Amino acid sequence: MTTTTITATRTHEAGLARVQRRTLAVLVAAQVVGGAAVSTGVAVAALTAARLSGSDVVGAFALTCTVLGAALAAVPLARTASCLGRRAALVGGWATATVGAAGGALAVVLGSWPLLLLACVPFGTGTATGLAARFAGTDLAAPDRRARALAVVLAATTVGAVGGPLLAAPAQRAAAAAGLVPGAGPYLLCTVLFASAATTVAAGLRPDPLRLARTHHRAADPGPEEPGAGAPIAPLSLALAVVVVAQLVMIAVMSMAPVHLEHGGAGLGVVGLAIGAHSAGMYALSPVFGWATDRFGRLPVLAVGAGLLVAAGVVAGTAEPHDHLRLTAGLVLLGLGWSAALVAGSALLVDALPPADRPRWQGRADIVVNLSGALGGSVAGLTVAATSYEVLALGCAGLAGGVLLAVLRRARPA
């Protein structure tokens, strides 16, 4: 290799690194405001639907509709990314969520819980878009830094996810002061936040990372198998199983937590703090899980995630409705377990696929994950109506325990 070629290669690598840093910065900014909207909607959806309908089961279905909307959006987002690039996909996703948030505000004003459930479907596109953004962070990342890049995008959601629910009560007061129905305030706030996320991506995500990756040598590299581990790579099916169960357990336990807290005398402020703490668990330590995934391998972090989910179910399942601190601790553990499973499982998915196929299979994986969340929300409402929140949480702990055993069995040296 000549000196000129070496110089050109280094210049090329430096250029890609600059674009990757800019890409991550734009994604981080969009995730902060978009994450705030998603978490605010999660904090108020079940309570609002339950109050409008007079049924806790309907309240649970509000979050189920949100998760269903995320599932329905996963494949269109992936197809748009594959054909038009990440920028078009993310802008379209945030814009659709904006429509859903505006529909939620209208439903509250009209006092219509069926309209609220309907609006939750496009609102759920915000969740799918936030998840799709994690893959955009890996398009130009070096193979040995993919999990960390993915985790940085997830971690950016922490600020908005923690702060968003805390703004729900002030948004209600602001709406009342403006002469509107107080319950419409949080949804109007979400409308503004989602629109801001769409604008940030539209203006800043240039050049498109996926399109650029396909034209350079990193796009031809399928990635490492299992960095930092001596055992063979875990089957993709096992990684997906862990992520699917993590999503189901997370949605099931979390979806009925606001109602459980309200039965214990908690107001919207306490509910907002609990959901904010849960959201912090979901995202704040994702860079640590990303580093661990790149350093020690995918399987060990998958096992940690499953173990945390078991602990979350036990802690939440043994908490009385008035024990707000213990239930919040369970929700934090729930978020941590979900984070570890999602980071490790997503990194394994990227490693296992050639670049040309990644958007399509990433969309398919996300639709399965989100459908499992929709199932979790549906089962949660019915289970609590028939038995109790304690039975729901402990049952989820048992499900996560089965997955933990499967991961440990696979990780066992031959």
Side-chain angles (χ1 to χ4, degrees):
M1 184 179 290
T2 66
T3 302
T4 302
T5 303
I6 293 175
T7 301
T9 300
R10 289 176 177 174
T11 302
H12 169 71
E13 292 290 334
L16 287 180
R18 284 194 298 272
V19 175
Q20 171 67 355
R21 288 193 294 271
R22 176 181 171 82
T23 296
L24 289 178
V26 172
L27 293 174
V28 163
Q31 289 293 97
V32 169
V33 291
V38 170
S39 63
T40 300
V42 167
V44 303
L47 294 176
T48 303
R51 287 169 182 167
L52 290 177
S53 65
S55 169
D56 288 348
V57 175
V58 173
F61 274 116
L63 188 57
T64 300
C65 289
T66 302
V67 178
L68 179 61
L72 294 175
V75 169
L77 285 172
R79 288 179 177 172
T80 302
S82 184
C83 297
L84 302 176
R86 298 287 189 192
R87 177 173 170 268
L90 297 179
V91 170
W94 291 126
T96 302
T98 302
V99 173
L106 178 62
V108 175
V109 169
L110 297 177
S112 172
W113 66 263
L115 180 58
L116 178 62
L117 295 185
L118 182 63
C120 284
V121 176
F123 188 102
T125 304
T127 301
T129 306
L131 288 175
R134 78 193 191 278
F135 289 124
T138 69
D139 288 331
L140 293 172
D144 62 347
R145 297 187 66 85
R146 283 176 181 151
R148 274 169 280 193
L150 184 151
V152 164
V153 177
L154 285 178
T157 315
T158 306
V159 177
V162 174
L166 301 180
L167 297 175
Q172 282 189 337
R173 292 193 292 269
L180 301 174
V181 177
Y187 285 101
L188 291 174
L189 173 65
C190 292
T191 302
V192 174
L193 293 174
F194 280 140
S196 299
T199 302
T200 298
V201 173
L205 204 62
R206 301 171 185 271
D208 189 279
L210 181 58
R211 286 186 163 187
L212 185 60
R214 285 172 170 171
T215 64
H216 293 285
H217 70 278
R218 284 182 185 169
D221 182 2
E225 288 189 339
E226 182 74 353
I233 191 170
L236 184 57
S237 58
L238 177 61
L240 288 176
V242 176
V243 176
V244 164
V245 170
Q247 182 77 357
L248 188 152
V249 169
M250 189 272 288
I251 293 295
V253 176
M254 184 271 293
S255 65
M256 295 306 296
V259 176
H260 191 58
L261 283 166
E262 189 177 50
H263 288 169
L268 185 58
V270 173
V271 172
L273 285 171
I275 297 300
H278 165 70
S279 299
M282 290 175 67
Y283 303 111
L285 293 187
S286 57
V288 175
F289 293 130
W291 171 83
T293 299
D294 283 335
R295 175 64 179 84
F296 301 110
R298 286 31 172 166
L299 281 177
V301 180
L302 285 174
V304 168
L308 287 168
L309 292 173
V310 173
V314 172
V315 172
T318 55
E320 296 294 331
H322 61 270
D323 194 347
H324 304 157
L325 184 61
R326 185 179 180 87
L327 184 56
T328 300
L331 293 177
V332 171
L333 290 172
L334 186 70
L336 291 172
W338 177 88
S339 179
L342 185 71
V343 168
S346 299
L348 181 55
L349 178 65
V350 174
D351 291 346
L353 296 169
D357 293 336
R358 282 175 190 158
R360 181 172 69 256
W361 284 99
Q362 287 162 359
R364 292 175 179 176
D366 278 353
I367 193 172
V368 173
V369 169
N370 284 305
L371 284 174
S372 72
L375 176 63
S378 300
V379 170
L382 296 174
T383 300
V384 171
T387 56
S388 66
Y389 183 79
E390 291 79 4
V391 171
L392 169 69
L394 292 174
C396 287
L399 180 61
V403 171
L404 174 60
L405 292 177
V407 174
L408 293 177
R409 188 178 302 113
R410 174 65 191 183
R412 185 183 305 157

